[in-house]
Amino acid sequence: MPDIFGVIADATRRDILQVLLERFQRDAEISVSEIVGQLEISQPTVSKHLKVLREAELVTVREEGQHRYYSLNPEPLEMIEDFVIPFLSAGFDTEVTVEYLSEDGERIPGPGDQDAFANLDDGEEVLPEEAAAAAERIGRAAARAENRVKELVARFRLRD
């Protein structure tokens, strides 16, 4: 597989990816001639760049007779996201405060409140296994959301 950074370094390929992203968000494919029309570049140039994107597995193609329909495959771009996010979020000081409330709205001890668990017997569960698994999934989702927000803030800062 070609180096993904080298593939997306080309401005024309990034333009093609942007067109494909717009279609991907509508769950639709696009033909070469439609890309040519939108970007106003020659068909051979579009085809050449689509071949590079296909080899990098950034696009998929469906052939129907003489026509080819392209779709974005965003998975390889996740490698770039994983690489870049730590750089974009460097220097961000984000602290999340979590407060646990009862159904009545009163504050109750949470996992970080060490004194609240002093009376537990050794081996006694703080949360039932099912609730602990759910809490872990929520924590992971929150961490992913935090990374997305940091990325968007960094992008917004770059535009200023």
Side-chain angles (χ1 to χ4, degrees), residues 1-158:
M1 185 168 136
D3 176 36
I4 193 102
F5 289 98
V7 171
I8 64 168
D10 184 275
T12 302
R13 286 194 283 270
R14 289 193 310 271
D15 291 342
I16 292 170
L17 286 171
Q18 189 65 46
V19 169
L20 289 165
L21 174 61
E22 291 166 8
R23 287 298 176 103
F24 179 80
Q25 291 171 331
R26 293 184 287 176
D27 200 28
E29 301 171 314
I30 190 167
S31 68
V32 174
S33 60
E34 289 176 289
I35 297 171
V36 167
Q38 281 192 31
L39 298 179
E40 298 178 354
I41 53 180
S42 72
Q43 185 274 327
T45 299
V46 170
S47 293
K48 176 185 83 168
H49 287 294
L50 283 170
K51 180 179 185 235
V52 173
L53 292 169
R54 214 174 39 248
E55 289 171 353
E57 298 177 4
L58 287 167
V59 299
T60 58
V61 63
R62 181 180 62 85
E63 294 184 32
E64 189 175 289
Q66 292 183 336
H67 300 283
R68 291 178 177 216
Y69 297 93
Y70 288 86
S71 298
L72 177 68
N73 177 19
E75 274 186 44
L77 294 171
E78 290 175 6
M79 292 182 340
I80 291 174
E81 179 185 46
D82 293 344
F83 177 80
V84 171
I85 283 178
F87 294 95
L88 296 176
S89 60
F92 282 95
D93 187 22
T94 57
E95 187 175 315
V96 177
T97 304
V98 178
E99 195 172 79
Y100 295 86
L101 303 176
S102 69
E103 290 179 6
D104 301 329
E106 293 182 35
R107 188 180 186 289
I108 58 174
D113 298 333
Q114 297 302 325
D115 295 336
F117 302 108
N119 296 334
L120 291 178
D121 295 330
D122 286 338
E124 187 176 347
E125 289 183 343
V126 175
L127 286 174
E129 188 176 323
E130 198 172 280
E136 184 176 335
R137 288 192 301 273
I138 291 169
R140 287 183 183 163
R144 283 193 303 271
E146 179 185 11
N147 281 336
R148 293 274 191 212
V149 168
K150 287 178 181 178
E151 175 189 358
L152 291 172
V153 167
R155 284 183 186 173
F156 192 70
R157 283 186 175 172
L158 291 175

